[in-house]
Amino acid sequence: MQWKPTLCLGQRVTELRQRADGILELDAGGTTHLSKTVLITAGLARSPANKLTLENIGKFEGRGVYYFVKDKALFRGKRLLIIGGW
């Protein structure tokens, strides 16, 4: 919370699109969130138990959509949208 992120709780992402300018659009039931990077945090150590089940998500995995962080330096100085739950 030290960087004062915007928190959007209780929403379910139903669609992910990439705009021509590279920005990712996440549709959450009528609310659209914009980001350059999506980091999904679920407290998993090695591999995600539940990956997003969105059409074409595979083309974004490792290229803007991440399920866990191996190297924090990859995100240094970037604006992130972090989604997750338990």
Side-chain angles (χ1 to χ4, degrees):
M1 298 303 294
Q2 72 188 65
W3 294 288
K4 299 184 180 12
T6 300
L7 300 178
C8 304
L9 305 175
Q11 297 180 2
R12 181 176 200 82
V13 174
T14 57
E15 191 173 346
L16 175 66
R17 296 176 297 277
Q18 187 171 32
R19 301 184 334 183
D21 62 1
I23 300 295
L24 298 172
E25 288 186 9
L26 293 94
D27 182 16
T31 301
T32 300
H33 301 284
L34 305 175
S35 183
K36 290 184 179 180
T37 304
V38 176
L39 176 64
I40 300 165
T41 61
L44 303 169
R46 296 249 178 227
S47 63
N50 299 308
K51 289 188 171 189
L52 291 175
T53 56
L54 302 173
E55 186 176 336
N56 298 322
I57 190 67
K59 70 181 184 181
F60 298 109
E61 291 173 344
R63 296 180 52 239
V65 173
Y66 301 88
Y67 292 100
F68 52 92
V69 176
K70 294 180 192 177
D71 180 10
K72 294 185 293 187
L74 178 66
F75 303 102
R76 184 174 290 127
K78 307 240 184 198
R79 296 185 62 162
L80 302 174
L81 172 64
I82 301 174
I83 59 176
W86 50 80

